[in-house]
Amino acid sequence: MSEERSLNFLEEIVEADLASAKHTIIHTRFPPEPNGYLHIGHAKSICLNFGLADKYGGKTNLRFDDTNPVTEDTEYVESIKADVRWLGFDWEEEHYASDYFDQLYTLAVDLINKGLAYVEDMSAEEIAASKGTPTEPGKESPARSRTIEENLRLFTAMKNGEYNDGEKVLRAKVDMASPNMHMRDPIMYRIKKTNHHRTGDTWCIYPMYDFAHGQSDSIENITHSICTLEFEVHRPLYNWYIEQLNTFPSTQFEFARLNLTYTVMSKRKLLQLVQENLVDGWDDPRMPTISGLRRRGFTPASIRNFCEKIGVQRRENIIDFGLLEFCIREDLNKTANRRMVVLDPIKLIITNYPEGKSEILKGENNPEMEDNGGYRDLPFSRELWIESEDFQEVPQKKWFRLAPDMKVRLKSAYIVQCTGFNKDAQGKVTEVLCEYIPESKSGSDTSGINVKGTIHWISADSALNAEVRLYDRLFNAENPLDEEGDFKSNMNPNSLVIIPQAKIEPDLKHALPGDQFQFIRKGYFCLDPKFTTAEKLVFNRTVTLKDAWAKMGEK
RNA sequence: UGCCCGAUAGUAUAAUGGUAGUACGUCAGAUUUUGGUUCUGAUUGUCUUGGUUCGAAUCCAGGUCGGGCAACCA
């Protein structure tokens, strides 16, 4: 019944490697640098790495690529671990590149001893200048001809703190004329007299990415080192270190990073939004971060499903944000309890319903579930709140909500017929007058009347208030980076609309932070864990419902 | 005017020399006590020019377009 999905290119590689006995077990890793929060692009990488190992009975490590103490912090380490777990993955081993500093140092010394690394005296600017350009070869540094003994002495001195930042670096001796810029004697170690979040002041020299990452893979016996396309040109260097040091032959494979419409994905740009207070932190529900999506109401399953649906390839791509919305609706439709909430209330008065009378009706929790997911109480009385947009004084064509003389069903209650309305001094409709049909009670309707429209409502005397936050896309442009000027100039000014006093049904007072609901006809919402207090409930809109009516309006 | 990579409906992703399929989107219809859900149908595609072949999205060559590479970042 579950038809075979065809393999993606990484699965094909793994199957081939297993079939040829190149590897008997596969070992992947997810290697974030702890310098920011994880985003949906990382989720793709996580699903790929863990998914591959799961599928083929292998293992996945979590490794923090913490080789640059200037930008990294334990705060990020903790958030990353929490996010990976929340997504539903558990790592085999937890490692830190900083745990390998001793081993990496030994490997560097090994390379010096082989005459394949040397200590450089030039400044960063001088190195850059002598590196040449993509079309012209670089020039070999005078330091390239230092003796092994001198290199060992100088490298030890670097390690011992005898030089200041920038005075010396260790370089691999590869090829200054290589057409690949990364092979022109790349830097292996630089001096940074900065406190490291894990190793403190033990080290003042830190390995560069190309050296540290590849060798960390080897140390952990990673068979398939999966990274994004921009590292493709680094692969020859990755392989060079392995060959020269004769370490475990990990292999690097690249895939295209995820791009999403109407947002930005680079850590640098997300950091800017946070630092300039354009959003409410890394976990702002509008952010494409895992923590933002979580607060917005996305479920781990919906994100995993999304990653499955987008597939993986080596070509640049930009995924429609609508696909993510589809995934969360698909999930929540099956699991979220239905509740009635009126965002923009006007009064509906049932003139033939006795004053002072009230009754308790039953509302199904979820029609998609077995036994409708059970029922909750819905107090009903003469005065109700309804959505102001559900009444039109002069109905437009194909309108089947309330308008003079028209009938609608009040969800889970009675059919009512509009008999009139009242306006305030400004001409705004404030009250809609109706008569109800007693025989039309939900579940025991003997009226024989069929109506096209059903609207949501809340009994005025038992309604509670809550703040509701409506989120929309963060940027107006599909790809904010394609537009003229600063990407921030394309931000959507209406990406957050706060409704301070929405009317909610009484049952919602039992909601717990993170609980998810479908507000009937309005969308999926969750109780915000950050702003909700004992006195005030705050709901975040995860996503709207599909709205065929609104779509007709656009045409 | 260097090196590397890529190009299949609007967006993604299959087809591994043999009928171009799937999902999302869009459009239409049915069902519906959510203009939701569900169901049915429709819609639109192999960048280009040559070559190899009985047969090319697939292999080869040229072109075009797009992306990446010259941080003591990862």
Side-chain angles (χ1 to χ4, degrees):
Chain A
M1 38 165 274
S2 71
E3 65 238 43
E4 264 333 273
R5 178 177 64 78
S6 50
L7 302 180
N8 66 46
F9 80 101
L10 293 170
E11 292 167 333
E12 285 182 358
I13 289 167
V14 168
E15 290 203 357
D17 288 349
L18 255 17
S20 70
K22 179 176 176 186
H23 302 291
T24 50
I25 182 170
I26 69 156
H27 207 156
T28 60
R29 100 270 92 115
F30 173 62
E33 182 189 14
N35 68 345
Y37 282 70
L38 260 29
H39 54 61
I40 182 89
H42 294 106
K44 177 177 180 180
S45 170
I46 291 167
C47 290
L48 245 30
N49 278 294
F50 283 92
L52 225 38
D54 281 352
K55 179 165 181 175
Y56 296 102
K59 304 172 185 176
T60 306
N61 291 352
L62 174 64
R63 182 173 72 238
F64 291 95
D65 230 338
D66 55 351
T67 55
N68 184 0
V70 177
T71 56
E72 297 155 6
D73 197 275
T74 13
E75 175 201 350
Y76 298 123
V77 171
E78 293 312 315
S79 79
I80 288 168
K81 284 158 66 170
D83 286 349
V84 174
R85 280 204 194 91
W86 179 78
L87 275 175
F89 297 102
D90 204 3
W91 47 92
E92 182 77 16
E93 300 159 18
E94 179 174 326
H95 291 297
Y96 297 79
S98 54
D99 287 345
Y100 304 138
F101 282 171
D102 280 308
Q103 288 171 81
L104 293 169
Y105 181 82
T106 304
L107 289 167
V109 168
D110 197 18
L111 221 47
I112 294 174
N113 276 319
K114 288 177 164 152
L116 292 170
Y118 60 95
V119 173
E120 174 65 83
D121 310 306
M122 289 197 289
S123 67
E125 297 70 36
E126 291 167 322
I127 291 174
S130 66
K131 209 157 194 175
T133 68
T135 51
E136 307 160 54
K139 283 209 301 282
E140 295 191 353
S141 162
R144 216 174 193 264
S145 53
R146 277 207 233 264
T147 62
I148 289 171
E149 291 66 33
E150 193 183 4
N151 281 317
L152 289 172
R153 184 177 60 74
L154 289 169
F155 189 46
T156 305
M158 279 173 64
K159 180 197 179 203
N160 291 341
E162 293 171 31
Y163 300 104
N164 291 318
D165 292 16
E167 283 186 3
K168 296 269 187 285
V169 290
L170 183 72
R171 287 230 252 176
K173 194 186 286 184
V174 190
D175 177 8
M176 288 304 290
S178 170
N180 184 338
M181 298 296 288
H182 294 278
M183 301 296 271
R184 322 249 261 228
D185 289 11
I187 292 167
M188 293 175 63
Y189 270 91
R190 77 289 214 194
I191 300 168
K192 278 184 193 286
K193 296 194 169 170
T194 304
N195 189 273
H196 185 282
H197 68 104
R198 294 188 82 247
T199 59
D201 296 320
T202 306
W203 294 86
C204 66
I205 58 171
Y206 293 92
M208 296 286 290
Y209 166 84
D210 286 298
F211 178 59
H213 191 98
Q215 290 307 299
S216 298
D217 283 343
S218 289
I219 289 169
E220 294 175 23
N221 284 8
I222 299 301
T223 54
H224 301 259
S225 177
I226 299 165
C227 62
T228 45
L229 237 32
E230 67 266 29
F231 293 103
E232 194 169 10
V233 284
H234 295 242
R235 191 177 350 126
L237 182 55
Y238 182 100
N239 292 337
W240 187 88
Y241 283 125
I242 286 174
E243 281 160 30
Q244 302 307 326
L245 292 165
N246 197 28
T247 47
F248 181 84
S250 302
T251 312
Q252 173 181 307
F253 301 93
E254 309 87 15
F255 68 93
R257 66 163 59 243
L258 166 67
N259 295 294
L260 258 188
T261 55
Y262 302 108
T263 190
V264 292
M265 207 66 92
S266 90
K267 264 194 211 171
R268 216 191 89 247
K269 296 202 172 55
L270 295 175
L271 180 63
Q272 258 183 75
L273 298 177
V274 172
Q275 287 179 335
E276 296 175 28
N277 288 314
L278 296 168
V279 294
D280 174 41
W282 287 99
D283 65 347
D284 184 295
R286 294 165 294 180
M287 292 280 272
T289 50
I290 303 296
S291 47
L293 292 167
R294 175 167 58 229
R295 216 179 127 201
R296 174 89 170 246
F298 281 80
T299 58
S302 70
I303 294 174
R304 277 186 260 120
N305 213 293
F306 172 75
C307 290
E308 176 71 28
K309 279 188 194 311
I310 60 176
V312 58
Q313 251 309 338
R314 286 171 59 85
R315 43 179 175 257
E316 298 294 325
N317 62 81
I318 182 160
I319 309 274
D320 194 332
F321 196 86
L323 185 61
L324 231 198
E325 296 186 331
F326 168 83
C327 291
I328 188 59
R329 285 192 190 108
E330 184 186 42
D331 189 8
L332 259 18
N333 177 48
K334 286 181 273 184
T335 59
N337 281 342
R338 273 55 170 172
R339 292 294 181 266
M340 293 202 276
V341 169
V342 176
L343 299 179
D344 182 19
I346 54 168
K347 268 288 176 60
L348 179 101
I349 299 174
I350 304 171
T351 53
N352 63 339
Y353 196 90
E355 260 178 88
K357 177 180 173 176
S358 69
E359 57 189 303
I360 302 293
L361 304 174
K362 295 288 182 190
E364 58 195 14
N365 280 326
N366 187 341
E368 303 295 318
M369 290 171 75
E370 189 100 0
D371 301 322
N372 290 322
Y375 294 80
R376 85 282 186 192
D377 289 345
L378 291 170
F380 184 84
S381 63
R382 178 184 164 92
E383 294 198 9
L384 312 176
W385 293 114
I386 63 166
E387 211 69 67
S388 74
E389 66 175 17
D390 285 339
F391 176 79
Q392 283 190 352
E393 195 178 333
V394 181
Q396 64 191 101
K397 59 183 186 309
K398 291 209 172 178
W399 178 259
F400 44 89
R401 305 179 193 175
L402 274 176
D405 296 326
M406 285 188 71
K407 295 190 190 75
V408 294
R409 153 98 40 202
L410 297 172
K411 175 75 180 169
S412 301
Y414 298 92
I415 292 172
V416 294
Q417 178 165 28
C418 179
T419 55
F421 56 92
N422 294 317
K423 291 179 171 178
D424 62 15
Q426 283 75 254
K428 182 178 181 289
V429 174
T430 54
E431 290 179 339
V432 177
L433 306 177
C434 284
E435 288 184 0
Y436 86 119
I437 296 161
E439 310 79 61
S440 67
K441 183 170 173 174
S442 183
S444 55
D445 186 344
T446 57
S447 69
I449 299 170
N450 279 319
V451 292
K452 281 266 304 261
T454 300
I455 65 172
H456 59 284
W457 54 274
I458 299 162
S459 175
D461 56 12
S462 59
L464 304 175
N465 289 319
E467 179 176 304
V468 174
R469 295 178 162 236
L470 306 179
Y471 297 102
D472 199 354
R473 50 181 62 137
L474 236 197
F475 291 88
N476 283 319
E478 275 203 3
N479 185 351
L481 306 183
D482 275 357
E483 305 298 306
E484 294 286 310
D486 184 21
F487 77 99
K488 294 189 296 280
S489 62
N490 300 304
M491 289 187 75
N492 175 8
N494 303 316
S495 61
L496 168 60
V497 173
I498 297 180
I499 297 176
Q501 297 265 288
K503 302 293 179 189
I504 68 172
E505 62 168 85
D507 191 84
L508 243 15
K509 67 170 174 284
H510 304 300
L512 267 19
D515 277 0
Q516 284 154 318
F517 302 94
Q518 184 197 98
F519 291 174
I520 290 175
R521 302 207 300 139
K522 286 285 136 189
Y524 294 98
F525 293 75
C526 69
L527 191 63
D528 187 83
K530 193 161 173 177
F531 293 141
T532 295
T533 63
E535 298 79 46
K536 187 173 86 170
L537 298 180
V538 177
F539 288 95
N540 292 326
R541 182 173 71 192
T542 308
V543 64
T544 60
L545 257 28
K546 271 172 67 178
D547 190 346
W549 171 250
K551 206 165 271 174
M552 285 174 72
E554 289 165 15
K555 284 186 284 182

